[in-house]
Each structure stands twice: as C-alpha cells, then as structure tokens.
Amino acid sequence: MKEFVIEAQKIPPQQRHSHIFETFDNLEAGESIVIVNNHDPVPLLRHFEENRQEQFQSEYLEKGPEVWKLRLTKLKKEGCCGFCGG
C-alpha cells in the first residue's frame, strides 16, 4: 500500500489542515499519510476524530522532542471488499 509523507511545517498554517484532509480524502483504503511536524499534532488528530471518526487509524512513529511523525491510515468501510477505495 502507498504511504505519502507530508511535512506539515512547510505548509502555510492557514492551509495546513485543509491540505492534510484533502490528501487523506484522496487515499484508497489501506493507504496512509505520515505527517511530519515540529510539534505534537494533537489539534490535527482531534480534528480527524471529530470529522473522520471511524475512517482512520492513527499511530505515532516518533514523539519529539524535535520531530513528531504521525501515521494516519485510511480504513475500509465496514463490509467493503476494498475495490471501491472506500
């Protein structure tokens, strides 16, 4: 499965979350994005929990103090065979 890396600190703050959500929404089931940031992306994770509940799995790959890496994997819809990308 594909994994895309997003270096969040390189995206203007006012565009950061929308860019990450757009990238996530374009993933196929099983694909991931890894967000690399210079701080813990807790606000982003909460935003995902509020707006994409049950659509993702999160895993910290690195937890600071200088670099945080958070993997967000898009899950298949329940009962989905995986061919639709849902």
Side-chain angles (χ1 to χ4, degrees), residues 2 9-10 14 21 24-25 43 48 51-52 60 67 84:
K2 292 181 184 177
Q9 66 275 9
K10 293 184 178 181
Q14 64 274 20
F21 271 89
F24 178 83
D25 289 343
F48 263 88
N51 295 287
R52 300 293 187 277
Y60 277 94
V67 174
C84 65

Side-chain angles (χ1 to χ4, degrees), residues 44-71:
L44 175 69
L45 191 52
R46 285 190 191 135
H47 200 173
F48 263 88
E49 289 168 351
E50 292 170 3
N51 295 287
R52 300 293 187 277
Q53 189 176 21
E54 299 180 22
Q55 295 181 26
F56 73 98
Q57 178 180 357
S58 64
E59 174 188 9
Y60 277 94
L61 303 176
E62 194 170 333
K63 287 186 160 184
E66 295 178 19
V67 174
W68 277 259
K69 292 182 181 179
L70 176 66
R71 176 185 289 137

Side-chain angles (χ1 to χ4, degrees), residues 16-86:
R16 195 170 293 156
H17 281 203
S18 61
H19 175 77
I20 292 169
F21 271 89
E22 182 179 335
T23 302
F24 178 83
D25 289 343
N26 287 319
L27 295 177
E28 299 291 328
E31 294 181 337
S32 303
I33 54 175
V34 174
I35 292 101
V36 179
N37 211 345
N38 57 7
H39 65 273
D40 193 348
V42 170
L44 175 69
L45 191 52
R46 285 190 191 135
H47 200 173
F48 263 88
E49 289 168 351
E50 292 170 3
N51 295 287
R52 300 293 187 277
Q53 189 176 21
E54 299 180 22
Q55 295 181 26
F56 73 98
Q57 178 180 357
S58 64
E59 174 188 9
Y60 277 94
L61 303 176
E62 194 170 333
K63 287 186 160 184
E66 295 178 19
V67 174
W68 277 259
K69 292 182 181 179
L70 176 66
R71 176 185 289 137
L72 298 174
T73 302
K74 192 167 193 177
L75 302 176
K76 288 191 243 181
K77 293 180 183 174
E78 207 168 305
C80 178
C81 65
F83 290 109
C84 65

